[in-house]
Structures are given as structure tokens and as C-alpha cells.
Amino acid sequence: MAPNLESFYKTVDANADHFIDRLRNAVAIPSVSAEDARRPDVVQMGMFLKEQLEALGAHMEARPLGKQPGKEHLELPPAIVGRYPAKKDDSKRTILVYGHYDVQPANLSDGWNTEPFKLSIDDKGRMFGRGSTDDKGPVLGWVNVIESHQKAGIDFPVNLLMCFEGMEEYGSEGLDDFIIAECKPGKFFADADAVCISDNYWLGTEKPCLTYGLRGCSYYSIEISGPGQDLHSGVFGGTAQEPMTDLVRVMGSLVDTNGKIQIPGIYELVAPLSKEEQGLYENIAFTMDNLYESLGSTTGIFDKKEETLMGRWRYPSLSLHGVEGAFSAPGAKTVIPAKVVGKFSIRTVPDMEPHEVDSLVYSYVQKQFEKLGSKNKMKCYLQHSGKWWVASPKHWNFTAAARAVEEVWHVKPDLTREGGSIPVTLTFEQATGKNVLLLPMGSSTDAAHSINEKLDRRNYIEGIKLLGAYLFHVAEEPME
Amino acid sequence: MAPNLESFYKTVDANADHFIDRLRNAVAIPSVSAEDARRPDVVQMGMFLKEQLEALGAHMEARPLGKQPGKEHLELPPAIVGRYPAKKDDSKRTILVYGHYDVQPANLSDGWNTEPFKLSIDDKGRMFGRGSTDDKGPVLGWVNVIESHQKAGIDFPVNLLMCFEGMEEYGSEGLDDFIIAECKPGKFFADADAVCISDNYWLGTEKPCLTYGLRGCSYYSIEISGPGQDLHSGVFGGTAQEPMTDLVRVMGSLVDTNGKIQIPGIYELVAPLSKEEQGLYENIAFTMDNLYESLGSTTGIFDKKEETLMGRWRYPSLSLHGVEGAFSAPGAKTVIPAKVVGKFSIRTVPDMEPHEVDSLVYSYVQKQFEKLGSKNKMKCYLQHSGKWWVASPKHWNFTAAARAVEEVWHVKPDLTREGGSIPVTLTFEQATGKNVLLLPMGSSTDAAHSINEKLDRRNYIEGIKLLGAYLFHVAEEPME
């Protein structure tokens, strides 16, 4: 092992408690981007990050992204961009890293076992807290890598460009245009040679992976309205056509219990499965027990791991998320909701073009609604859409990361795709024209977006080593 | 007209502004029984009512009803009971009146045009405010009747027993046992000769009615659960069976757009329509335009008033109220909810026995769920149930009320049934063994339970006269 790396690893271990304190401070800031009232907390979290990096000598900027579309009273949280070392060393490669400092909503009453915005570490080293794994742990990973190099007294191997946003959990409002503008010649991100994003998870709990593909996501609303206001079901039940009745019938026609999408034409858009691809899945370190553990149940669709991986990575899925406007509290309310909005999304894969998916959805939903013969009004529309992404895992960006994994975790990483969407991945690829790598820190049981989100101490500390080792190797890897 | 009544009517008119102030003060107390945090406000409203009546010389008691079942940290609001005059006059009849001082939830953000807990009177005399018509206006009606008799210096015609509760909008917890106990010999309500409840509405906006029948209500939950916690739809979509998919399919099988209940056997429980009954509906002062006005749209099921009235009064209906546990906020959230609870209720009519309805519901829902072949778990259960009620409209209690309507409104009232449930009606009938009359104050456009609930000034002031005239006539009506 290179002496520099050895010294770096030791420094990370020696500062582990300090790095956990840093994560504790970050988790304590409830930077929920979806809640208007939390916007100041999101901004505060951005400032926290900026200050931490400035204290280490990085050049940092908080870049305004304007007003929030549709909520013009709200300023979007800034993009926190930075460069380390502050002055570019032209003899070194430039790596652009991305992460986000906002988090999903969380309330103790949702069923958390501990206060969501207080990092709570149990005796197994599980560090519970909203944002621990998604994405404050990985973002602070880069901060910790810089600090560890300084404390170890070793040269930083690359020019690091940083892009941290505060709206990832709410559709990355405003970020795409910003990235595209800043990747142009002479701008902040112009010199990037490759991109690394740490905002996803291992497939299981033991074996690291490098991720080269993501599904896209097209998110739709079906709005059905009739009466002028909510009605009393005693007075109007049996005399009025009820929007909720129509909505559940339309929603019920979209997908079946086994996840089969009922919209004609959807599967015809999917790239066919080649023999070569078919063979890839059986070698992936993943078992049905991994699924069941992360699911917290055995209510999977498939019994085999290969089908399960394909269901997650390379086939589309449709999920019904909920209904806005209907009665949603505990207890009983005898209301006939006047206007209800059903929410669902389709995870898309190669070669599904989002606008083709939209057309199939609109036409099918329209037909299903017409079948009901209802006098109510129906509108189906797209809330947001992000395309799928697939990169080349043979690029030097990936081989450098693979070396880093082998050194830190003593195992060859799986090359995986992901079921989730990180739309910014595609934006970075298109804006920089460079290879993009997804290098996860957390594991499959981290429960991102759920109650009791956590990051294992081991994944955090070894993850810091991994990010450092990646920068070391990406600086040295021959370009092919 | 009897001179006493004439003097009473004049006094009511002369004190109209004072009575409206009293309603304003009551509306300002947000006595929402469904919200735990508002419990002190509910109690405060009970005390307000008690003090108002005590100031008029009534004997009042606040009777504790114990802890709230399932929420043992909460004390139920008291039943406010009273007697006026404080000392019984054995030469007079005794009339027991009931109302409730709690209200439905209301927030400005629900879409109210005015602050829901501030009485706002527009230039058409519409008095907007939560509880204005349901049921603070009618309850204060009795207070105003007493005060008007005193101010007019006329003898009060009956012994008035009062029962005002604070949990009507949340299932009247604890009240049934209380009423049954207090109707026993020697107890507070033992001497009632008849019962009058003012907690419903005219069928339209112009013609008063007396109500002799109500539908019952059986409220059910369908709970479907699978995963151990909410999941990210990107990571798990296409690999897990989703409870929400199953739920909308089961809910979608319960009722169609035209309100036809799909549960086999339900309509077989309904009393057949006789020739005599069939003729009743065409004479009722009700038009399809009345329906459309109160609906705020023309999305009715039937085009004819007779079918519409029968759909509301004498046939069962099934409404889907909403889903608990799914995403219900504005915007987009890519969650797969782990446990969802669908809420629906069936309005029941003669001769449907609630336990027979339960059996049909459970067995049908179970079959629908089994058809899905899902690994998720399903439970269907009753949240609460209240039976339908039908009284004799030929009783002296009704003929007295009919005279009062003719005097105050100069028109014969329609004899109507109601689609909604007021379970306490049946309890009073069974506990007292006496005739129960429903004597509405508000009109069909009052939007009880909805945003912009209101009571028209005219209905309030003439309604006070009506309650007084009813007491006058009920004291004199020959018993048959």
C-alpha cells in the first residue's frame, strides 16, 4: 500500500469520534426541503457545510438559485459549491463530487424509535438519525477526507470540485440549469475530468458496489373533482357521484399486486434482455434474505434473486403513493371529499422515452375514467420526470474506485445498477460530457426515506477511507 | 294568535342582535372534539353554555363522562344537563331537548373564505363560522327562547330538560350509557314526556320540515400491511408487493360511480318500497336545483327528485372517505407506504340489522382481498356503528311542531327523513320510551361539516321563534 494511504487510513481511525461529532451536528439541523417552514433550517445546514469546508481552507461559495417555482414567496436554498485546494494545481486531475444537504421529512410520531434529528448510536454501532445516510454522512465524508489529509500531513491528490444542493428530496428545483451553466468553459465546474456522486447504497449489508445505472422516475397526479366543497356523507351519500369512488377505481386499474403495470404499451418500450445481461445477475452478492431484511417482511414479488434484481434495476415499476384531499387522519370522518388527487409514479428504464411514457399514461387513464361514465372531472398530469441513466463501468473513473474498494474492504465490488432515480447524475453526464460514478457509502438496511434511518459506524468510517482512496487512485489511474 | 306568542315573537325580534352576539361568542370557542389539543376549548364551550343558562336562572350541572376510550389520557367533555324553570311545575308537560356544543375540525387553510372561528356576516345575512348551524345556533336557540320569555314577561309553557353534549362530532363517546342511566325512574331525565332534537337541516332553502327518520351509519376500516416500514419506491418498486396497490383494488370493488353498492346481499336487507311510500316523494318541496345548489355542482347520480330523495333517505349508500398511512400532502413523495388503512362507511336504512351488514362487508372484503393473491396482511373492522331510526309523525309532539311551523313560517312543513345519522335519536327513543322529534333550524345550503359552514340570520331568528312556538303548542296539544 502506498505510504500516503496508510497514513491517511490511520488518521481517519484516530479521528473517528470527531467525524461522528460532525455528523451529529449536521443531523441536528432539520434541513427538510419539502416543508416550507423548515427552509431556514435547510439554509442553515448549507451554511454549516460551507463553514466546515472554509475552516479547512477550501474556497466556498453559496450560489443563489432563485425563487421556488410555484412557491414564489420561498427562496430556494443555495447550491454550496467549492474548490479544494482553493488554488487549482494544474498538474492534477480535477474530480467533481456531488451530494445533498437536505433531508426527507421526519417526525417522532411517524414511528421513529429515537428523536429523528438527534444522532442516536446503539451498541451495534448503528447511528440513527434523519439524513445520517441520505446524504449527510456521505457529504461530510468529503469534508473528513480533506481534514484527514491535512492532519496526516499528506498532499491532496486531486483538485476537488464540490457541488452540494439543498433541494434533492424535493425534485432538485433549480439545480439542472445551474449545473449546465457552471459546466460551460471558464465556469466553476468547467475543468472536471470525472464526476463522483455518493448518494446511494450497497445492494446488501456486506459487499460494496459501484453503480453504473439508475432508473428514471415519472411522477403523475390524477385529479378528480365534482362537488363544490366537501360533503357530509349522510346528507349526500347515494345522491352524488363521489370523486373518491372514481379515483380508487382508476388507481386500481394501473398495476396489480405482483407489480405488473396494466398500461398497454409500457413493456414494449423496454430494452430486451440479452443473453449476456441475463448472466450478470446470478453473480451479484445479493440474496432474498437481503431483500427480506431491508423490506422488514417476506412480502416480495419474486422468489428468485435474479428476477428480484431485474425487477429493481432493468424493468419499470409503478407505485401508488397516496391520495391528497381525502380523509387521511386516524379515526373516523364521514366526509365525501370534493376533490381528490391520486399520486403515482413509474420507474423507467432503457429505452423508455419519458414523453412516450406520458402519452401512454394519459391515454390509458383517460380511457379508464371514461369507462366509469362519471360526471366528475378528471385531469391527469405529470408532476416531475427524470430520465434513466446508464454509464460505462470500464472507464478509469470506475477502475480507480474498484481499486479503492479492494483496498479498504478487501473485496472486489459488485457492478450494479439502482432502482432509484438520482436525476442529477444524468445532468452531470450531459453537462460535463465526462464519466459519472456512483460510489455508495451506506448499506441496504439504512432505511433512507423511512423511519429509523441510520448509517452504520463502520460504513461511515471505512466510507471516509474509501472516498480518500478513490481520490488517490483516480489521480493515478491511466486514462484509456 | 295567542297574545303570549305575539309578545314572545316581538321580544325575539327586538333582541336579534343580542342573540347574534351570543352566537358570535360561541363560534369563537374552537370546540373541536376530534382534536386532542382542542379538548380544553370543548370544555370551555360547555362551561360557556352552562353559565349562560345559569344566568337565566336554570338549574345546570356539568356531568363527567369519564376518560375517552382508547385515549385514556383525555377526559371526555362533560354532558351539560339542565332544568328550566329550576323547580319543576308538575302542572306542565316536560320536554327534553338535546343539542351538541362541539364542532367539526376547521382550518382557514382548508379553503374557508373567512376565519372559521370568527362569525362573519355577509350582506345577504349569511353568518359564516364553524358550528354556526351545527349545532351552536340551534343550541343557543333554547337559551334565547328562555331569555325571550323572561324579557317578554310571559310564563314559560313547559318544564324544559336539557342535554347538551361535547362529543357528537366524534361518535358521542360515553353519552349513550349516560342517557340510559338518566332516563331511569327518579333520575334527571325521568319525567320527559317527549323529546325534541334540533341538529339537522331543511331539505331545501325555503320550506321548513319535521324529520321522522334517519339513516344509520356503519363505519369500517380496511387495514393492509406488508413491509416493516415505509419504503423508497425507487429501491423497492417492482420487487415488493405494495399494500396501497391492494387497498385501492379492494376499495374500488365496494361501490360504483352511480353509488351502487357491490357487496352481495346488501340490498336484500332493505325494506321493500310500498305503493303508498312511493307516492310520498313527489309532494316534497325539493327540486334537483336544490340538490345542485347544495352540492355546488350538477354531479348528481339521479336526474329525478323522487329517486334522489329515495337515494338519500330510504336506500343505503357507501362512501369512501380516504386512506390513512399513505402520502396525503401536496407535492410529490416517492414512498411505498408500509401500512395503509382505507376508510369507508355504509348509511343503513330499515330493515338492515347492523350486525348483518357487518357480516356481509367482512366476507366480501375478505373475498376481494383473497382474489388478489397478495402476501400482504389484511384486516377489516368496524370503527363505529349507529342504527337507523324511524318515528311516528302523527304523534302530538309532531302535530305541535307542525302548528309552530305554520305560525312562524306560514307554510305546512314537509314530513321528511334524513340521510345522515344522529345516533342519539334512537338512544333517546329507547331510553325514554317517548316520541322523538327532529326540528331543524338551518337550511340545506348551510354546509355543515364543510368549509364555509353558515347559518342564515333569518333561520336563526325565526328558528328561535319556532322553538318557542313549539314549546307553546306542545304544552297545549291534546294527547292522543
Side-chain angles (χ1 to χ4, degrees), chain A residues 446-479:
Chain A
D446 284 358
H449 292 213
S450 297
I451 55 167
N452 302 323
E453 176 182 347
K454 59 92 177 163
L455 176 63
D456 291 339
R457 186 186 202 280
R458 189 179 72 136
N459 282 58
Y460 184 50
I461 301 304
E462 299 307 301
I464 297 163
K465 294 181 192 170
L466 177 68
L467 298 181
Y470 159 70
L471 294 183
F472 178 86
H473 287 292
V474 90
E476 305 214 322
E477 197 71 4
M479 289 204 184

Side-chain angles (χ1 to χ4, degrees), chain A residues 339-358:
Chain A
K339 180 170 121 179
V340 283
V341 187
K343 315 277 179 83
F344 72 97
S345 66
I346 298 179
R347 298 285 164 173
T348 55
V349 297
D351 299 319
M352 300 167 80
E353 287 298 327
H355 69 272
E356 291 180 327
V357 176
D358 295 350

Side-chain angles (χ1 to χ4, degrees), chain A residues 215 219 228 230 233-234 237 239 241-242 246 249 252 257-258 295 300-301 319 321 331 335 343 347 375 419 450, chain B residues 215 219 228 230 233-234 237 239 241-242 246 249 252 257-258 295 300-301 319 321 331 333 335 343 347 375 419 450:
Chain A
R215 293 196 291 188
Y219 200 110
D230 285 0
S233 67
T239 69
Q241 293 189 338
E242 305 187 10
D246 293 347
R249 296 201 141 203
T257 293
N258 287 317
L295 214 54
I301 293 175
S319 294
H321 305 298
V335 66
K343 315 277 179 83
R347 298 285 164 173
K375 295 173 190 169
S450 297
Chain B
R215 293 196 290 189
Y219 200 110
D230 284 1
S233 68
T239 69
Q241 293 189 338
E242 305 186 10
D246 293 347
R249 298 203 137 203
T257 293
N258 286 316
L295 214 54
I301 292 174
S319 295
H321 305 297
K333 188 177 177 190
V335 67
K343 316 275 178 84
R347 297 284 163 174
K375 296 173 190 167
S450 296

Side-chain angles (χ1 to χ4, degrees), chain B residues 408-475:
Chain B
V408 173
W409 291 101
H410 314 294
V411 63
K412 268 188 202 293
D414 277 332
L415 284 167
T416 64
R417 286 159 69 172
E418 260 288 3
S421 310
I422 312 176
V424 78
T425 312
L426 189 67
T427 307
F428 276 117
E429 183 183 271
Q430 292 173 339
T432 62
K434 307 290 178 178
N435 181 278
V436 181
L437 157 75
L438 299 190
L439 182 58
M441 176 181 274
S443 85
S444 66
T445 52
D446 284 358
H449 291 214
S450 296
I451 56 168
N452 302 322
E453 175 182 346
K454 59 92 178 163
L455 175 64
D456 290 341
R457 187 185 201 280
R458 188 179 72 137
N459 283 58
Y460 184 50
I461 301 303
E462 300 306 303
I464 297 164
K465 295 180 192 169
L466 177 68
L467 298 181
Y470 159 71
L471 293 183
F472 178 87
H473 288 291
V474 89

Side-chain angles (χ1 to χ4, degrees), chain A residues 8 12 15 18-19 22-23 26 45-46 48-58 60 80 84 97 101 135-151 156 160 162 164 441 460 463-464 467-468 471:
Chain A
F8 167 72
V12 173
N15 286 277
H18 168 57
F19 296 151
R22 178 172 276 146
L23 180 60
M45 180 63 208
F48 169 84
L49 195 53
K50 180 167 174 279
E51 285 155 18
Q52 296 278 310
L53 284 157
E54 279 170 344
L56 295 169
M60 302 301 299
I80 304 295
Y84 183 84
V97 302
Y101 61 84
D135 188 35
K136 290 179 175 176
V139 164
L140 296 182
W142 298 113
V143 182
N144 300 335
V145 164
I146 293 173
E147 186 174 6
S148 298
H149 276 80
Q150 292 183 358
K151 287 195 168 161
F156 204 72
L160 196 69
M162 291 167 274
F164 301 127
M441 177 182 273
Y460 184 50
I464 297 163
L467 298 181
L471 294 183

